[in-house]
Amino acid sequence: MMKRNTDELWNEASRGEPESPLFDSNDVDVAVVIGTGPAGATLALELARAGQRVVLFEAGPWIDPASFINDDRAAFEQMSWTDPREATGTWQLARDFPGSPAWMGKLVGGTANLWTGLTPRFKAHELRASETYGRIPDSTLIDWPIGLNDLENGYDQAERAVGATHRQGRPPLPANNNYKVVANGAARIGYTHYATGPYAVNAEPYDCRPATIQDGFASQGDKQRSKWTPLVSEIPRALASGLVDLRTRCHVTRITLGANGRADGVVFADADGILHRQRARFISVACNAIETARLLLLSSTAGHQNGLANGSDQVGRNYMRHTSGVIYAEFEQPVHMYRGEPMAGLIADESRHDPSRGFVGGYYFEMISQGLASFSQFNEPGGWGVEFASRMEAYTRTSALWICGEDLPQATNRVTLSDSATDALGLPVPVVHYDDHSNDIAMRMHAYDRAEELFSAVGAVRITTAPPLPSGHNLGTARMSLDAESGVVDPYGRAHEVDNLFISDGSVFPTSGAANPTLTIMSLVYRQAAHIIGALRSGEL
């Protein structure tokens, strides 16, 4: 299977929505994987490679990349998870976007279809945050139960899988004009660690995906397939194995337990809202930190009255989404930030832990470009008037940076179920509550100041700041821990309370680190897959 040409696999898999089901609903030997994003797709492929049959559920549709739309608004409607949500707390997103505090994909390949592709690794101290930072009031810091050495092999695998530039012998992307502005500013204020990656978009043909044409539409799905996503990589390979049964437009509503207390299947609604059941030998949940927590809470049953695997009351808690914000800088001459890869620029100098700056942890500056629709919506939510209009008129002369920093876990930042609002299936919608920690605020203000220095150094004529965007990095809510009291899963993502239930996405992160999470999620999944395959072969699972 793996020696076949990827284009051949793609052409075979993309003839239309896969014919399903391949496996019987009463088959007790299949694995059920819920979610087709980087975590679920990677796990499904690894299991198939080991000979395990998998039923892979996706709430959204199959969309051929050729059908992606190079338009901000239309692409958002085509690919985004727009099911209702509620946001509470003091974070500004609860005011600006109360029904949409997070940005997720709802299609095969998940949120990876929306991401822009930066793939930095975690640093060692970020896995030892409690030990390194000490006691931080109002935070619930714990150390990861694994070290950086446990992730390195998976990092190597993930970088090869996504074709990360600057890594594993891969060449860098060329600099676009936006990056040249940012890089010159970085150099003038003394930064030394900046580059156009690592980035999961091909600088040259790789893995039968073409080199980027730098059309600026990576966040709109990437019609060219030069950006790595599971939709164009892991999913076609998994389908070609004949061992993965992809069920699209199927929303899993509940995980069920047998009399022995082990997970024995799932209940799901098809595209018409009709409920079905699929039995399973074991189950992996990879729905993104908001929907994963929601599904566990919806799966309460005798012995798990507060939600599945929630005896510790940790499910849904410690929600993290990275400290963020945007800095816009206008210049006298055109920048055309929208030309080229939208986020192919990373400054790592502030990602160190240096408490002399007034906060613990660190942050990255990441180049960002936006289409005009997003630029006007996020520059100042609800903005109006002459001054706001003048900023819109400066669109072609604007450069921008996004802050991506470590935010601290707090028990009160959590996902719960609404008491009053329901979705189209009649299920309680998730309520996402978040308050900025004082450390997050101090970090954001430091970043705003440093970015102003950077842009001023290269002649910016006006610099403005914008609040965080709807969260694309949703983490925590089912964190890993050595003991069942302080977390939900063990170091392999296995639920402490249900031994054939696994969590495979960013929900398991005990801390957020400063790095974009996808590469670390995939590294953890490779490690989890090896553990599951070993348990299957030994008969333990």
PDB file of all heavy atoms in Angstrom, residues 37 101 131 137 238 257 345 351 375 381-382 389 427 492 501 540:
ATOM      1  N   GLY A  37      -9.222  15.252  11.746  1.00  0.00           N
ATOM      2  CA  GLY A  37      -8.149  16.243  11.703  1.00  0.00           C
ATOM      3  C   GLY A  37      -6.788  15.575  11.837  1.00  0.00           C
ATOM      4  O   GLY A  37      -6.668  14.348  11.707  1.00  0.00           O
ATOM      5  N   PRO A 101     -16.529  31.712  19.587  1.00  0.00           N
ATOM      6  CA  PRO A 101     -15.243  32.077  20.176  1.00  0.00           C
ATOM      7  C   PRO A 101     -14.064  31.289  19.627  1.00  0.00           C
ATOM      8  O   PRO A 101     -12.921  31.609  19.924  1.00  0.00           O
ATOM      9  CB  PRO A 101     -15.456  31.765  21.655  1.00  0.00           C
ATOM     10  CG  PRO A 101     -16.436  30.634  21.643  1.00  0.00           C
ATOM     11  CD  PRO A 101     -17.360  30.907  20.485  1.00  0.00           C
ATOM     12  N   GLU A 131       7.594  22.970  37.424  1.00  0.00           N
ATOM     13  CA  GLU A 131       8.929  22.924  38.020  1.00  0.00           C
ATOM     14  C   GLU A 131       9.724  24.191  37.690  1.00  0.00           C
ATOM     15  O   GLU A 131      10.429  24.734  38.540  1.00  0.00           O
ATOM     16  CB  GLU A 131       9.670  21.688  37.479  1.00  0.00           C
ATOM     17  CG  GLU A 131      11.114  21.556  37.912  1.00  0.00           C
ATOM     18  CD  GLU A 131      11.792  20.370  37.221  1.00  0.00           C
ATOM     19  OE1 GLU A 131      11.088  19.399  36.896  1.00  0.00           O
ATOM     20  OE2 GLU A 131      13.009  20.441  36.996  1.00  0.00           O
ATOM     21  N   PRO A 137      -0.018  31.998  41.268  1.00  0.00           N
ATOM     22  CA  PRO A 137      -1.379  32.112  41.815  1.00  0.00           C
ATOM     23  C   PRO A 137      -2.439  32.019  40.721  1.00  0.00           C
ATOM     24  O   PRO A 137      -2.263  32.552  39.615  1.00  0.00           O
ATOM     25  CB  PRO A 137      -1.377  33.498  42.474  1.00  0.00           C
ATOM     26  CG  PRO A 137       0.060  33.747  42.811  1.00  0.00           C
ATOM     27  CD  PRO A 137       0.847  33.114  41.713  1.00  0.00           C
ATOM     28  N   ALA A 238      -5.126   6.163   3.946  1.00  0.00           N
ATOM     29  CA  ALA A 238      -5.922   5.296   4.821  1.00  0.00           C
ATOM     30  C   ALA A 238      -7.034   4.611   4.034  1.00  0.00           C
ATOM     31  O   ALA A 238      -7.279   3.409   4.197  1.00  0.00           O
ATOM     32  CB  ALA A 238      -6.504   6.120   5.972  1.00  0.00           C
ATOM     33  N   LEU A 257     -20.958   2.441  27.190  1.00  0.00           N
ATOM     34  CA  LEU A 257     -20.169   1.483  27.964  1.00  0.00           C
ATOM     35  C   LEU A 257     -20.911   0.166  28.069  1.00  0.00           C
ATOM     36  O   LEU A 257     -22.148   0.128  28.130  1.00  0.00           O
ATOM     37  CB  LEU A 257     -19.896   2.009  29.374  1.00  0.00           C
ATOM     38  CG  LEU A 257     -19.112   3.318  29.526  1.00  0.00           C
ATOM     39  CD1 LEU A 257     -18.855   3.598  31.006  1.00  0.00           C
ATOM     40  CD2 LEU A 257     -17.792   3.269  28.775  1.00  0.00           C
ATOM     41  N   GLY A 345       6.481  33.248   8.308  1.00  0.00           N
ATOM     42  CA  GLY A 345       7.447  34.108   8.962  1.00  0.00           C
ATOM     43  C   GLY A 345       7.340  33.938  10.462  1.00  0.00           C
ATOM     44  O   GLY A 345       6.252  34.094  11.027  1.00  0.00           O
ATOM     45  N   SER A 351      10.489  33.548  22.601  1.00  0.00           N
ATOM     46  CA  SER A 351       9.873  32.293  23.040  1.00  0.00           C
ATOM     47  C   SER A 351      10.583  31.682  24.238  1.00  0.00           C
ATOM     48  O   SER A 351      10.136  30.672  24.777  1.00  0.00           O
ATOM     49  CB  SER A 351       9.848  31.278  21.887  1.00  0.00           C
ATOM     50  OG  SER A 351      11.170  30.931  21.496  1.00  0.00           O
ATOM     51  N   PHE A 375      -9.502  41.259   7.393  1.00  0.00           N
ATOM     52  CA  PHE A 375      -8.804  42.465   7.857  1.00  0.00           C
ATOM     53  C   PHE A 375      -9.788  43.469   8.455  1.00  0.00           C
ATOM     54  O   PHE A 375      -9.563  44.034   9.526  1.00  0.00           O
ATOM     55  CB  PHE A 375      -8.061  43.071   6.670  1.00  0.00           C
ATOM     56  CG  PHE A 375      -7.286  44.316   6.974  1.00  0.00           C
ATOM     57  CD1 PHE A 375      -6.107  44.263   7.713  1.00  0.00           C
ATOM     58  CD2 PHE A 375      -7.722  45.552   6.516  1.00  0.00           C
ATOM     59  CE1 PHE A 375      -5.380  45.418   7.981  1.00  0.00           C
ATOM     60  CE2 PHE A 375      -7.006  46.707   6.782  1.00  0.00           C
ATOM     61  CZ  PHE A 375      -5.834  46.636   7.520  1.00  0.00           C
ATOM     62  N   PRO A 381     -13.096  44.819  15.863  1.00  0.00           N
ATOM     63  CA  PRO A 381     -14.469  44.306  15.789  1.00  0.00           C
ATOM     64  C   PRO A 381     -15.487  45.392  16.120  1.00  0.00           C
ATOM     65  O   PRO A 381     -15.398  46.047  17.153  1.00  0.00           O
ATOM     66  CB  PRO A 381     -14.467  43.185  16.840  1.00  0.00           C
ATOM     67  CG  PRO A 381     -13.039  42.725  16.883  1.00  0.00           C
ATOM     68  CD  PRO A 381     -12.225  43.965  16.691  1.00  0.00           C
ATOM     69  N   GLY A 382     -16.401  45.607  15.192  1.00  0.00           N
ATOM     70  CA  GLY A 382     -17.402  46.656  15.381  1.00  0.00           C
ATOM     71  C   GLY A 382     -16.897  48.039  15.037  1.00  0.00           C
ATOM     72  O   GLY A 382     -17.586  49.040  15.280  1.00  0.00           O
ATOM     73  N   ALA A 389     -11.998  53.913   8.927  1.00  0.00           N
ATOM     74  CA  ALA A 389     -12.011  53.844   7.465  1.00  0.00           C
ATOM     75  C   ALA A 389     -10.624  54.100   6.883  1.00  0.00           C
ATOM     76  O   ALA A 389     -10.217  53.479   5.893  1.00  0.00           O
ATOM     77  CB  ALA A 389     -13.019  54.848   6.907  1.00  0.00           C
ATOM     78  N   LEU A 427     -28.985  18.598  21.237  1.00  0.00           N
ATOM     79  CA  LEU A 427     -27.961  18.394  22.260  1.00  0.00           C
ATOM     80  C   LEU A 427     -27.540  19.736  22.850  1.00  0.00           C
ATOM     81  O   LEU A 427     -27.468  20.742  22.121  1.00  0.00           O
ATOM     82  CB  LEU A 427     -26.740  17.700  21.651  1.00  0.00           C
ATOM     83  CG  LEU A 427     -26.992  16.347  20.994  1.00  0.00           C
ATOM     84  CD1 LEU A 427     -25.731  15.891  20.254  1.00  0.00           C
ATOM     85  CD2 LEU A 427     -27.393  15.322  22.047  1.00  0.00           C
ATOM     86  N   TYR A 492      -0.152   8.128  27.644  1.00  0.00           N
ATOM     87  CA  TYR A 492      -0.423   7.680  26.274  1.00  0.00           C
ATOM     88  C   TYR A 492      -1.802   8.137  25.792  1.00  0.00           C
ATOM     89  O   TYR A 492      -2.273   7.677  24.748  1.00  0.00           O
ATOM     90  CB  TYR A 492      -0.323   6.157  26.190  1.00  0.00           C
ATOM     91  CG  TYR A 492       1.092   5.647  26.372  1.00  0.00           C
ATOM     92  CD1 TYR A 492       1.503   5.123  27.601  1.00  0.00           C
ATOM     93  CD2 TYR A 492       2.016   5.726  25.340  1.00  0.00           C
ATOM     94  CE1 TYR A 492       2.805   4.678  27.776  1.00  0.00           C
ATOM     95  CE2 TYR A 492       3.321   5.281  25.506  1.00  0.00           C
ATOM     96  CZ  TYR A 492       3.709   4.757  26.732  1.00  0.00           C
ATOM     97  OH  TYR A 492       5.003   4.322  26.902  1.00  0.00           O
ATOM     98  N   LEU A 501     -10.545   3.580  26.171  1.00  0.00           N
ATOM     99  CA  LEU A 501     -10.932   4.890  25.641  1.00  0.00           C
ATOM    100  C   LEU A 501      -9.699   5.781  25.591  1.00  0.00           C
ATOM    101  O   LEU A 501      -8.991   5.928  26.594  1.00  0.00           O
ATOM    102  CB  LEU A 501     -12.001   5.533  26.534  1.00  0.00           C
ATOM    103  CG  LEU A 501     -12.402   6.972  26.192  1.00  0.00           C
ATOM    104  CD1 LEU A 501     -13.085   7.045  24.822  1.00  0.00           C
ATOM    105  CD2 LEU A 501     -13.320   7.544  27.279  1.00  0.00           C
ATOM    106  N   GLU A 540      -3.668  -7.239  25.372  1.00  0.00           N
ATOM    107  CA  GLU A 540      -4.065  -6.444  26.538  1.00  0.00           C
ATOM    108  C   GLU A 540      -5.235  -5.526  26.225  1.00  0.00           C
ATOM    109  O   GLU A 540      -6.000  -5.154  27.109  1.00  0.00           O
ATOM    110  CB  GLU A 540      -2.848  -5.641  27.027  1.00  0.00           C
ATOM    111  CG  GLU A 540      -3.084  -4.839  28.294  1.00  0.00           C
ATOM    112  CD  GLU A 540      -3.421  -3.393  28.011  1.00  0.00           C
ATOM    113  OE1 GLU A 540      -2.866  -2.833  27.047  1.00  0.00           O
ATOM    114  OE2 GLU A 540      -4.238  -2.828  28.744  1.00  0.00           O
TER     115      GLU A 540
END
